[in-house]
């Protein structure tokens, strides 16, 4: 863990600024913000037009003078000023006044595993610009493991897979720390892009980016397995004519299209297991893998991991908010550290 639990208990607000969604947990109030990490800006005046869900609906539908931006990518802030403006708008004036009453406002934030110092600095500056006097950084893997109820502080192995929009992180945890971990540059966006490219090349159909999620739901009956409906109808725009057109897509072909990014994730899991001590791997054979993150609900992904690894795989109850809820539990003081007594064996 990057900081001690005692330092986190002094924090007042926790922020998970992800590539897909931004979540804010306020001590004593719970989860107060859960919105897409999107902002729409008027390029002529510089005014902020919309943030969150409304700005996400504008994607691909705006005139030339309105730009839709994503201030975060892969769990790291890429545009500090826009991230600050987006957070101010998402928090609202009432909540901002409550936070301003705290003269020594402390904040905690999730950062991806093996995050470079520049990305950490960007996250700190974003929250300092909102009024935080001190910012504590916590590894996303630790926060997500705490949020989904894993026994992180125990001397047993727990494996967690954080399926984000831009990256996938996998780690083996023991005694409150990361034993071995891997950050894979493949996430939900890569899977969506693979589906869009397949439809464009094989069916000459341009699919709007926001139409990929309904396609995932249409595949929910069979997912990545062979059971279920053999085909589903997809609506999009013809590449040659530009007119609206519908095609019937075989689900087996969609499974093959997303096989490449998913294979990359499986390779990352294999590297983590190879670097893990044998005693911990024996624990994982019984405990298995816990999946969190918004992309963990991709239909059939858990079954694919079971077949590839031979270990039990479960999806957390609320996989998309596990990281910020884990930070919230640390802020509220619900996580007790493991106390090691070096003299216990000599008494």
């Amino acid at each position: 863990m990057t900081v001690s639990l005692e330092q986190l208990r002094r924090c007042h607000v926790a922020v998970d600024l992800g590539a897909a969604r931004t979540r804010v947990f306020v001590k004593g109030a719970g989860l107060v913000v859960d919105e897409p990490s999107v902002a729409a800006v008027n390029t002529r005046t510089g005014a902020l037009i919309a943030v969150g869900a409304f700005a996400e609906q504008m994607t691909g539908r705006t005139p030339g003078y309105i730009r839709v931006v994503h201030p975060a990518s892969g769990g790291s802030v890429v545009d500090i000023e826009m991230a600050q403006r987006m957070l101010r708008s998402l928090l609202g004036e009432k909540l901002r006044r409550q936070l301003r009453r705290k003269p020594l406002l402390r904040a905690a934030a999730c950062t991806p595993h093996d995050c470079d110092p520049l990305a950490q600095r960007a996250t700190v500056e974003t929250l300092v610009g909102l009024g935080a006097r001190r910012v504590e950084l916590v590894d996303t893997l630790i926060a997500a493991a705490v949020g989904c109820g894993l026994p992180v502080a125990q001397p047993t192995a727990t494996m967690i897979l954080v399926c984000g929009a831009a990256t996938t992180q996998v780690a083996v945890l023991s005694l409150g720390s990361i034993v071995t971990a891997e950050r894979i540059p493949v996430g939900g966006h890569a899977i969506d892009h693979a589906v869009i490219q397949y439809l464009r090349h094989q069916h000459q159909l341009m699919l709007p980016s926001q139409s990929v999620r309904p396609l995932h739901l249409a595949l929910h009956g069979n997912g990545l397995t062979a059971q279920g409906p053999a085909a589903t109808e997809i609506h999009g725009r013809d590449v040659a004519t530009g007119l609206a057109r519908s095609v019937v897509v075989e689900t087996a072909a969609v499974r093959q299209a997303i096989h490449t990014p998913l294979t990359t994730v499986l390779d990352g899991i294999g590297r983590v297991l190879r670097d893990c001590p044998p005693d911990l791997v024996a624990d994982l054979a019984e405990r298995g893998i816990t999946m969190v993150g918004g992309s963990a609900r991709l239909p059939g992904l858990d079954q694919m991991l079971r077949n590839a690894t031979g270990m039990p795989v479960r999806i957390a109850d609320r996989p998309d908010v596990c990281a910020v809820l884990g930070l919230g539990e640390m802020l509220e003081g619900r996580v007790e550290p493991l106390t090691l007594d070096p003299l216990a064996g000599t008494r």
Side-chain angles (χ1 to χ4, degrees):
M1 191 175 298
T2 309
V3 293
S4 67
L5 290 174
E6 185 61 33
Q7 290 174 314
L8 289 173
R9 291 193 185 102
R10 300 173 185 173
C11 295
H12 306 94
V13 60
V15 178
D16 180 14
L17 195 58
R21 300 186 72 87
T22 294
R23 301 176 176 92
V24 179
F25 184 100
V26 176
K27 195 172 185 177
L31 187 63
V32 296
V33 173
D34 185 2
E35 292 283 342
S37 302
V38 187
V41 184
N42 188 327
T43 57
R44 295 174 180 173
T45 63
L48 192 65
I49 298 175
V51 296
F54 187 40
E56 188 180 43
Q57 295 175 5
M58 296 182 180
T59 304
R61 299 182 174 92
T62 60
Y65 66 93
I66 296 179
R67 185 166 59 99
V68 177
V69 297
H70 297 77
S73 176
S76 302
V77 177
V78 294
D79 189 336
I80 296 176
E81 180 184 358
M82 191 54 62
Q84 291 175 352
R85 297 176 67 183
M86 181 186 71
L87 281 172
R88 287 192 191 99
S89 182
L90 290 175
L91 288 173
E93 183 61 31
K94 181 179 179 181
L95 186 55
R96 291 206 308 272
R97 284 200 304 267
Q98 292 178 2
L99 295 178
R100 279 199 297 265
R101 295 193 187 105
K102 303 181 185 300
L104 297 176
L105 177 64
R106 289 174 174 244
C110 291
T111 57
H113 176 69
D114 202 17
C115 186
D116 62 87
L118 288 178
Q120 294 180 358
R121 179 72 177 177
T123 302
V124 171
E125 289 187 4
T126 299
L127 297 181
V128 168
L130 294 176
R133 301 303 179 108
R134 185 181 175 92
V135 179
E136 310 290 356
L137 300 180
V138 179
D139 198 301
T140 301
L141 293 166
I142 298 289
V146 172
C148 62
L150 292 179
V152 180
Q154 299 302 315
T156 56
T158 54
M159 191 171 191
I160 187 166
L161 184 71
V162 181
C163 306
T167 60
T168 298
Q169 303 174 68
V170 58
V172 175
L173 311 175
S174 180
L175 289 173
S177 299
I178 297 174
V179 178
T180 178
E182 185 84 16
R183 186 180 177 191
I184 309 161
V186 172
H189 290 168
I191 295 174
D192 295 348
H193 181 72
V195 174
I196 292 174
Q197 290 299 108
Y198 164 77
L199 293 174
R200 183 183 180 94
H201 294 155
Q202 299 298 325
H203 297 277
Q204 288 72 50
L205 191 75
M206 294 184 66
L207 189 67
S209 59
Q210 296 183 4
S211 299
V212 179
R213 292 302 176 186
L215 177 60
H216 288 174
L217 296 177
L219 296 172
H220 195 74
N222 60 335
L224 306 178
T225 59
Q227 292 78 25
T232 183
E233 187 177 9
I234 302 299
H235 305 280
R237 191 184 76 180
D238 190 274
V239 173
T241 65
L243 301 177
R245 185 165 64 91
S246 300
V247 297
V248 177
V249 180
E250 296 182 357
T251 53
V254 176
R255 291 198 300 272
Q256 185 62 32
I258 64 178
H259 181 73
T260 299
L262 293 180
T263 301
T264 306
V265 175
L266 292 177
D267 291 342
I269 295 176
R271 288 192 296 271
V272 169
L273 291 175
R274 285 194 296 270
D275 295 339
C276 190
D279 291 340
L280 295 181
V281 175
D283 292 341
L284 296 177
E286 179 182 353
R287 294 179 175 272
I289 306 173
T290 301
M291 298 174 58
V292 302
S295 301
R297 290 175 173 158
L298 180 66
L301 179 57
D302 54 343
Q303 185 60 44
M304 181 180 181
L305 292 178
R306 289 190 194 97
N307 297 338
T309 62
M311 295 190 300
V313 178
R314 75 176 184 93
I315 302 176
D317 294 335
R318 300 177 64 186
D320 48 346
V321 295
C322 281
V324 71
L325 292 182
L327 275 181
E329 291 187 17
M330 297 177 192
L331 264 61
E332 300 281 0
R334 299 173 188 162
V335 180
E336 294 296 332
L338 177 65
T339 303
L340 298 178
D341 187 357
L343 302 179
T346 61
R347 292 171 183 169

